[in-house]
Amino acid sequence: MENKLSIGEMAKLRNVTVDTLRHYDKIGLLKPYYTDSNTGYRYYSIYQYEVLGTIKELRKIGFSLEEIKQFLTDRNVKKSVQFLQKSMNNIQEKIKELQNIHKILMTRLNNIEHFTNSYQNSDIVIKQFEEREYIQLDRPIGWEDKENLYFGLLELENMVGGDIPVLASNKFGDFIKKEYFDEIRLNSEFPDNLSAYQSQLFILVQDEEPKQPTQKLEKGQYICSYYGGIEREKMLPQLKKLLHYCDSHGYIPIDDAVQIMQVDISLTDQYDEAYYEIQIPIQKR
């Protein structure tokens, strides 16, 4: 056969691996034009160069090998036009998906930047929040129960779905009960019995289509601060500081405190760089 190409030569011409060509041969997608019966060597025709190029292009835009195999079988203009139209639809769907992911990632980056900038001048700030929707876990989690805490967060993430995991997204949070405030004000040290304290986990809902009914955080003023680390013990001094600020500046906490993960451990190996923000809804006396 004239102009025959060894499997290595064909692979090099189209920048694919020899193993790829062997796989295509095995599944009947692109069989060698000639196989030497004595040596078992595979040889390709130069005319198969374009066929291999078509396979590469179709793989790049998302077609499966089985779909490509069907396309290459008994081709005609009508069939090819229909196939290419389908590829255009696939590309449009991918563009839409990538645009959505880009929007989500930009929002997350902006949230981190906004959170960091808001505490440049003070570790206590008063923020105005609009109404926020959330889904609440159907059971409380003890402050000491770290295992069920993480199971609860995973369960909440599954409730809202989404295109990418809810990491680094300032959506996970929990409520610190208002009934604990007086005890927190008075205690100089964090209580030894963490299991006596419970929180209700939630996840904020924005553009997702949740599978569960939502509840609302009321819009209004919140006195806010933050702390680094993932241990509950690190939360108490900052929460106590917020409560004392309220007492000395004429503010009244009107509901449970909200604690939200602003920077989580998906972004850092250093636990002290994982930041929670405490938000207490307030009104003037």
Side-chain angles (χ1 to χ4, degrees), residues 179-244:
E179 64 191 66
Y180 297 158
F181 289 177
D182 285 342
E183 186 176 355
I184 289 170
R185 281 186 179 99
L186 296 174
N187 283 348
S188 59
E189 299 294 336
F190 197 82
D192 294 330
N193 185 17
L194 287 179
S195 61
Y197 296 82
Q198 293 183 323
S199 289
Q200 203 76 41
L201 299 182
F202 67 86
I203 186 169
L204 294 173
V205 176
Q206 293 173 350
D207 300 324
E208 301 90 352
E209 296 181 0
K211 304 171 186 176
Q212 304 287 336
T214 61
Q215 302 179 60
K216 289 181 171 61
L217 289 171
E218 297 298 330
K219 76 173 187 177
Q221 284 190 322
Y222 290 72
I223 186 166
C224 306
S225 190
Y226 71 96
Y227 66 94
I230 61 174
E231 301 297 332
R232 288 283 181 177
E233 290 87 341
K234 296 187 182 245
M235 174 264 290
L236 181 67
Q238 215 59 21
L239 179 55
K240 184 182 294 188
K241 189 174 180 179
L242 284 175
L243 293 173
H244 286 166

Side-chain angles (χ1 to χ4, degrees), residues 10-252:
M10 177 62 98
K12 186 176 181 179
L13 277 175
R14 271 302 183 189
N15 195 27
V16 299
T17 66
V18 169
D19 286 341
T20 295
L21 289 178
R22 289 195 179 112
H23 180 62
Y24 289 172
D25 179 13
K26 182 178 179 180
I27 64 175
L29 178 60
L30 182 64
K31 300 192 76 65
Y33 187 82
Y34 169 73
T35 302
D36 190 304
S37 57
N38 294 322
T39 63
Y41 290 166
R42 298 172 174 87
Y43 293 98
Y44 293 84
S45 164
I46 190 62
Y47 302 113
Q48 292 178 292
Y49 174 83
E50 287 302 328
V51 178
L52 182 55
T54 299
I55 293 171
K56 284 191 66 178
E57 290 170 2
L58 294 176
R59 287 293 288 158
K60 186 180 294 185
I61 59 177
F63 282 96
S64 68
L65 293 178
E66 183 57 36
E67 287 173 321
I68 296 171
K69 187 176 179 181
Q70 292 174 9
F71 170 67
L72 294 176
T73 303
D74 299 324
R75 278 184 294 171
N76 56 56
V77 172
K78 181 179 179 180
K79 181 179 178 181
S80 295
V81 168
Q82 290 173 342
F83 194 84
L84 293 175
Q85 184 59 55
K86 182 180 178 182
S87 73
M88 286 296 295
N89 294 338
N90 289 344
I91 290 170
Q92 289 298 327
E93 284 299 316
K94 280 192 171 184
I95 290 173
K96 183 179 178 181
E97 180 182 338
L98 289 172
Q99 286 175 334
N100 189 41
I101 291 173
H102 179 268
K103 178 183 175 183
I104 292 170
L105 293 178
M106 285 301 298
T107 298
R108 295 184 185 183
L109 288 171
N110 290 337
N111 284 338
I112 294 170
E113 183 178 3
H114 177 73
F115 165 72
T116 303
N117 291 340
S118 65
Y119 291 102
Q120 285 185 343
N121 299 319
S122 174
D123 66 342
I124 294 179
V125 296
I126 294 177
K127 298 183 180 182
Q128 178 73 31
F129 288 101
E130 295 301 315
E131 184 180 81
R132 293 172 284 177
E133 284 190 272
Y134 67 91
I135 295 174
Q136 182 172 288
L137 198 66
D138 60 3
R139 62 189 181 278
I141 301 293
W143 285 7
E144 202 172 38
D145 194 350
K146 293 180 182 178
E147 183 174 338
N148 273 318
L149 169 67
Y150 286 106
F151 275 119
L153 295 177
L154 179 59
E155 189 174 330
L156 285 169
E157 182 174 344
N158 290 334
M159 287 181 187
V160 298
D163 293 312
I164 55 181
V166 192
L167 299 176
S169 63
N170 78 329
K171 290 190 173 187
F172 286 124
D174 65 289
F175 294 105
I176 304 167
K177 295 179 182 179
K178 186 171 178 282
E179 64 191 66
Y180 297 158
F181 289 177
D182 285 342
E183 186 176 355
I184 289 170
R185 281 186 179 99
L186 296 174
N187 283 348
S188 59
E189 299 294 336
F190 197 82
D192 294 330
N193 185 17
L194 287 179
S195 61
Y197 296 82
Q198 293 183 323
S199 289
Q200 203 76 41
L201 299 182
F202 67 86
I203 186 169
L204 294 173
V205 176
Q206 293 173 350
D207 300 324
E208 301 90 352
E209 296 181 0
K211 304 171 186 176
Q212 304 287 336
T214 61
Q215 302 179 60
K216 289 181 171 61
L217 289 171
E218 297 298 330
K219 76 173 187 177
Q221 284 190 322
Y222 290 72
I223 186 166
C224 306
S225 190
Y226 71 96
Y227 66 94
I230 61 174
E231 301 297 332
R232 288 283 181 177
E233 290 87 341
K234 296 187 182 245
M235 174 264 290
L236 181 67
Q238 215 59 21
L239 179 55
K240 184 182 294 188
K241 189 174 180 179
L242 284 175
L243 293 173
H244 286 166
Y245 185 96
C246 288
D247 296 340
S248 61
H249 289 76
Y251 292 105
I252 303 172

Side-chain angles (χ1 to χ4, degrees), residues 227-230 262-265 268 270-276:
Y227 66 94
I230 61 174
Q262 292 289 359
V263 179
D264 65 37
I265 56 174
T268 177
Q270 309 301 317
Y271 283 179
D272 285 344
E273 291 183 345
Y275 290 112
Y276 283 84

